[in-house]
Amino acid sequence: ELDAGWQAAHAEPGQDWSSDDRQAVLDAIRTFSYVPPWEATYRPGAGVLSGAVVQGTAGGGPVAGLPVTLTVFVNFQPAEAFTTTTDADGGFRFADLATDAGVAYVATTSYASVRHNSAIYQFDPLTPTGVITLPVYETTDSNSALHIESATWLVDLEPGGLRVAVVLALSNQSDRTFVGQPVEGVDGLATLEVLVPEGATEIEFEDGVLNGRY
């Protein structure tokens, strides 16, 4: 493709070269687009991202003096992280950020021993400033406000058995973060309990394994 573009744009230079010579030149030119492994893939720019940590629980505690980390993702891979502290009103600001396409930002903080994330933010190439909101919540050990909004069952026949998958969509309808409850045989607090049919085997989860997160 590069060679075809070369011939279409500049047919005369290199027209009497061998295919190996042309390949060598194109390989050399392509190195200008490479990022050496010893250099960061992230380059600072003129972007400024302002935001505020907002207390989402009625009557909740103050949000001043909280550490906020801004993680930079380049092509979906974490590339850099910056940290600051909220002011008296929960505000924070990050400057000198890249505004390139393919660069995304997520702000995080820890409140009441729970990590809270902002939505993903990407700059508009024509607007180097942006605003994000980072909500935090007080905690509760009551699961009364948790609801299953939908449950989709997928059942496939297999030789000698059935393969069953369940997709659950859950919501928390309160203004507090549910931190879990003690369950016999489980270290720490459990936030979700799913019953499986007796005799079920090969139990697995999309984002974890048994004896790990689950």
Side-chain angles (χ1 to χ4, degrees):
E1 291 177 355
L2 288 173
D3 189 62
W6 178 4
Q7 294 186 52
H10 306 285
E12 293 185 3
Q15 62 180 342
D16 55 346
W17 295 358
S18 69
S19 59
D20 288 341
D21 287 340
R22 295 179 68 90
Q23 179 70 40
V25 170
L26 290 171
D27 283 341
I29 293 173
R30 287 187 66 207
T31 63
F32 289 100
S33 67
Y34 297 158
V35 176
W38 58 86
E39 291 188 11
T41 56
Y42 175 77
R43 297 288 188 273
V48 177
L49 193 56
S50 302
V53 174
V54 178
Q55 176 59 262
T57 302
V63 292
L66 294 177
V68 176
T69 299
L70 186 69
T71 303
V72 184
F73 294 87
V74 178
N75 296 324
F76 306 104
Q77 298 298 321
E80 190 63 84
F82 309 104
T83 301
T84 189
T85 303
T86 59
D87 60 23
D89 298 319
F92 57 87
R93 182 178 183 272
F94 294 93
D96 303 321
L97 302 176
T99 59
D100 306 335
V103 178
Y105 299 91
V106 175
T108 62
T109 191
S110 179
Y111 182 84
S113 301
V114 176
R115 173 175 169 166
H116 298 270
N117 301 332
S118 72
I120 298 174
Y121 184 86
Q122 288 182 283
F123 284 100
D124 182 326
L126 300 179
T127 308
T129 58
V131 178
I132 58 174
T133 300
L134 177 51
V136 297
Y137 303 89
E138 301 294 342
T139 61
T140 180
D141 60 1
S142 171
N143 62 5
S144 60
L146 299 184
H147 295 269
I148 298 176
E149 293 187 347
S150 66
T152 303
W153 290 71
L154 308 173
V155 183
D156 291 331
L157 287 171
E158 289 191 355
L162 297 173
R163 178 169 293 276
V164 180
V166 184
V167 181
L168 299 177
L170 297 99
S171 67
N172 181 352
Q173 299 180 3
S174 77
D175 63 354
R176 292 178 177 268
T177 299
F178 175 57
V179 294
Q181 297 175 337
V183 174
E184 184 178 355
V186 176
D187 294 332
L189 301 176
T191 54
L192 177 66
E193 183 178 13
V194 179
L195 301 180
V196 297
E198 182 178 354
T201 61
E202 302 180 30
I203 301 171
E204 59 186 31
F205 296 86
E206 183 180 27
D207 58 348
V209 296
L210 289 178
N211 300 318
R213 178 179 176 185
Y214 297 95

